[in-house]
């Protein structure tokens, strides 16, 4: 009873902090003057301040602040754990929402708003767990860090990437927990939760197509850069790179409950593409395709100057996501193969690159998370998954840290609903999931160092 009362009080704290963070509207458009994460950092600083907590804030770019809070460990040689949550959110298309995306309203036991699953739910629950530990004079064996970071949604240059390049010591950790994991997987039998252990890499390219300017009234035989660009885009979309079927993929196929012929096809490099293509759900097919293939998405095009002028320059921004082990040279080889004879007629300019990263699961943190998830879902198995997007985990993995996308969601949040709400319309989270996740971070603090021995 006493426990329940305490848990309810903590859950309420998480709900209220989440609502306040949603209302702060730290929308990151990718422009340096967006985000304004200082609003959430000010809120968190006020929330966390108290005896025993060291807090430091950093503002590498005006208004793009991040916060690092620390509970010092009793044993300097013990591993350090960091709870990392980003404070920014992606923009919304308000017309697609049934409720105000920045009001943080509670409707039928769910908190609505941009960031409710990506990932202010975790950022707020981490802060609540951290403050609760501090107020109860909890002393971890190794340092426990709470890192509220800016700019996750646009590459991390004003956030985790800046720390990694310029000031790593304050955030340095051996184990990092962040988005997105603890999501119940479908299927009968033993309960299974997805935890993220790997992510695809980035190999962004800009393709610049040149042509010859001319009068739009005489297009016959014209060298129109826009017409060439259309063909470039068509070839990129039609391109079929070879699949890569990793151990993580094999585990995922099993966890998703595929059996018999479908399972065999999904595990066969020669048949996996057609097997995925036969899946009815567009969202599932897109996710499974991205987990097994290098992907190419032409997302921006710029060109042309005047309604009556044949354009001599068009640029296409292609979002390329690479598989484990792929390098810059591999991306170039893909472009050559995809564009064929047009490859030599265009300029392919590297825009941003980050290799795919992964963490092992033979760790005391994985064991701890399994134990804690088992309190809610007895007999649970954690299924390691690869995320197709990028998160700040990659900066830590590049430094040798073990980083997992973790959390603990109720059965109200299926893998499918989670994916559709992530950056989607009507983003919201049920309060039970907020309670479970808050308890999970507390459990990590209490159990990790015991499990690690
Ligand atoms: Zn996120």
């Amino acid at each position: 009873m006493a426990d329940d009362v305490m848990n309810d009080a903590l859950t309420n704290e998480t709900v209220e902090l989440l609502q306040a963070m949603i209302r702060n509207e730290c929308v990151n458009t990718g422009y340096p003057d967006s985000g304004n994460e200082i609003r959430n950092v000010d809120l968190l600083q006020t929330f966390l301040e108290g005896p025993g907590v060291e807090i430091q804030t950093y503002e590498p770019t005006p208004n793009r602040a991040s916060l690092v809070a620390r509970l010092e460990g009793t044993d300097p040689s013990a591993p350090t754990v960091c709870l990392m949550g980003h404070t920014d959110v992606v923009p919304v298309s308000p017309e697609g929402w049934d409720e105000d995306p920045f009001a943080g309203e509670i409707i039928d036991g769910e908190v609505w708003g941009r960031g409710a699953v990506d990932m202010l739910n975790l950022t707020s629950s981490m802060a609540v767990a951290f403050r609760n530990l501090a107020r109860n004079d909890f002393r971890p064996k190794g340092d426990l860090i709470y890192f509220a970071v800016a700019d996750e949604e646009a590459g991390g240059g004003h956030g985790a990437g800046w720390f990694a390049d310029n000031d790593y010591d304050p955030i340095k950790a051996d184990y990092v927990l962040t988005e997105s994991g603890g999501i119940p997987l479908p299927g009968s039998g033993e309960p299974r939760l997805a935890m993220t252990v790997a992510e695809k890499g980035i190999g962004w390219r800009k393709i610049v197509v040149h042509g010859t300017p001319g009068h739009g009234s005489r297009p016959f035989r014209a060298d129109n850069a826009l017409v060439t660009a259309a063909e470039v885009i068509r070839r990129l979309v039609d391109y079929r790179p070879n699949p890569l079927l990793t151990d993580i993929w094999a585990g995922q196929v099993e966890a998703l409950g595929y059996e018999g012929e479908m399972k065999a096809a999904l595990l066969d490099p020669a048949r996996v593409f057609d097997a995925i293509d036969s899946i009815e759900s567009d969202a599932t097919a897109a996710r499974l395709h991205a987990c097994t293939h290098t992907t190419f998405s032409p997302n921006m095009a710029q060109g042309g100057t005047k309604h009556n002028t044949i354009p001599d320059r068009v640029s296409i921004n292609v979002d390329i996501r690479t598989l484990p082990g792929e390098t810059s040279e591999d991306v170039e080889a893909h472009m050559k193969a995809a564009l064929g004879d047009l490859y030599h007629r265009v300029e392919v300019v590297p825009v941003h690159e980050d290799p795919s990263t992964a963490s092992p699961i033979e760790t005391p943190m994985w064991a701890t998370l399994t134990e804690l998830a088992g309190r809610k879902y007895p007999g649970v198995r954690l299924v390691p998954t690869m995320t197709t997007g990028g998160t700040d985990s990659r900066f830590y993995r590049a430094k040798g840290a073990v980083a997992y996308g973790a959390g603990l969601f109720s059965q109200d949040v299926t893998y499918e609903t989670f994916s559709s709400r992530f950056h989607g319309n009507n983003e919201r989270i049920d309060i039970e999931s907020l309670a479970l996740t808050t308890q999970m971070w507390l459990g990590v603090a209490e159990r990790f160092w015991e499990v690690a021995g």
Side-chain angles (χ1 to χ4, degrees):
M1 182 67 185
D3 258 10
D4 284 351
V5 172
M6 194 197 78
N7 295 353
D8 285 352
L10 282 187
T11 303
N12 287 341
E13 285 182 21
T14 299
V15 169
E16 281 169 19
L17 188 58
L18 170 60
Q19 290 176 300
M21 292 184 84
I22 290 170
R23 290 169 190 152
N24 273 340
E25 217 173 309
C26 296
V27 175
N28 188 349
T29 61
Y31 290 99
D33 62 354
S34 72
N36 293 298
E37 293 90 340
I38 194 161
R39 292 198 287 257
N40 272 338
V41 161
D42 286 346
L43 172 72
L44 288 166
Q45 182 162 14
T46 307
F47 181 81
L48 289 169
E49 266 166 352
V53 186
E54 293 168 38
I55 298 179
Q56 194 72 47
T57 60
Y58 301 81
E59 199 175 337
T61 310
N63 300 319
R64 311 302 301 271
S66 294
L67 173 149
V68 181
R70 180 182 303 270
L71 286 179
E72 211 184 315
T74 53
D75 176 357
S77 69
T80 300
V81 173
C82 175
L83 304 176
M84 171 172 65
H86 65 77
T87 53
D88 58 327
V89 298
V90 294
V92 295
S93 310
E95 62 280 4
W97 284 67
D98 297 331
E99 305 293 336
D100 180 344
F102 297 106
E105 283 172 292
I106 300 175
I107 301 163
D108 294 335
E110 295 179 312
V111 180
W112 282 64
R114 179 52 95 219
V117 299
D118 179 19
M119 64 174 284
L120 303 180
N121 56 325
L122 306 184
T123 310
S124 59
S125 60
M126 286 169 171
V128 167
F130 188 90
R131 181 170 83 162
N132 185 262
L133 291 162
R135 286 193 172 169
N136 288 301
D137 298 320
F138 174 80
R139 286 297 302 275
K141 193 170 171 198
D143 282 10
L144 178 67
I145 299 167
Y146 171 69
F147 180 26
V149 64
D151 198 32
E152 192 277 339
E153 295 292 0
H158 308 287
W162 180 85
F163 281 90
D165 290 343
N166 298 286
D167 202 1
Y168 183 56
D169 273 355
I171 65 160
K172 188 176 176 190
D174 300 298
Y175 293 91
V176 179
L177 298 177
T178 187
E179 62 185 334
S180 2
I183 301 141
L185 289 165
S188 51
E190 64 176 357
R192 289 166 304 195
L193 298 180
M195 291 278 173
T196 309
V197 302
E199 62 188 53
K200 289 186 83 178
I202 289 172
W204 290 353
R205 294 291 188 276
K206 182 189 250 187
I207 300 176
V208 184
V209 182
H210 297 283
T212 310
H215 201 279
S217 64
R218 296 184 294 276
F220 189 60
R221 290 186 194 165
D223 176 21
N224 183 325
L226 191 52
V227 173
T228 310
E231 176 62 12
V232 164
I233 290 168
R234 195 194 60 78
R235 289 184 187 188
L236 279 175
V237 171
D238 287 349
Y239 177 57
R240 280 235 217 138
N242 289 327
L244 178 72
L245 309 183
T246 60
D247 287 352
I248 292 177
W249 170 249
Q252 207 169 337
V253 169
E254 206 210 309
L256 289 171
Y258 291 111
E259 281 166 4
E261 190 47 33
M262 185 62 175
K263 181 179 174 185
L266 287 171
L267 297 175
D268 177 356
R271 291 190 288 157
V272 64
F273 182 92
D274 290 330
I276 290 170
D277 199 20
S278 74
I279 293 170
E280 205 171 318
S281 154
D282 293 340
T284 303
R287 184 158 48 82
L288 299 191
H289 174 265
C291 284
T292 48
H293 295 80
T294 317
T295 56
F296 306 83
S297 187
N299 291 347
M300 287 169 77
Q302 279 142 341
T305 49
K306 219 160 162 277
H307 206 129
N308 66 354
T309 302
I310 292 169
D312 63 344
R313 188 182 191 280
V314 172
S315 65
I316 307 157
N317 294 48
V318 190
D319 183 352
I320 301 174
R321 303 297 173 123
T322 57
L323 290 163
E326 283 194 310
T327 63
S328 191
E329 288 72 46
D330 294 322
V331 174
E332 219 45 51
H334 282 304
M335 297 308 281
K336 239 179 232 177
L339 301 185
D341 60 335
L342 284 180
Y343 178 79
H344 298 287
R345 286 184 50 195
V346 301
E347 274 175 79
V348 179
V349 185
V351 174
H352 185 77
E353 298 202 322
D354 263 319
S356 167
T357 61
S359 290
I361 62 168
E362 299 78 17
T363 68
M365 185 59 84
W366 191 260
T368 304
L369 294 174
T370 305
E371 178 192 311
L372 297 170
R375 292 179 184 174
K376 164 69 183 170
Y377 299 109
V380 73
R381 189 155 61 86
L382 303 189
V383 177
T385 61
M386 177 169 76
T387 171
T388 58
T391 74
D392 285 338
S393 286
R394 70 185 186 278
F395 298 112
Y396 273 108
R397 293 201 189 106
K399 299 274 188 190
V402 168
Y404 298 137
L408 191 58
F409 289 85
S410 79
Q411 262 153 330
D412 283 1
V413 184
T414 65
Y415 210 76
E416 208 81 342
T417 57
F418 182 82
S419 307
S420 73
R421 291 176 192 177
F422 208 87
H423 293 200
N425 295 330
N426 294 334
E427 186 176 350
R428 59 198 192 274
I429 184 74
D430 64 298
I431 290 172
E432 190 193 352
S433 292
L434 294 172
L436 290 169
T437 307
T438 308
Q439 290 304 317
M440 183 147 205
W441 310 134
L442 287 173
V444 166
E446 284 154 12
R447 289 291 295 142
F448 168 73
W449 285 281
E450 290 174 13
V451 172

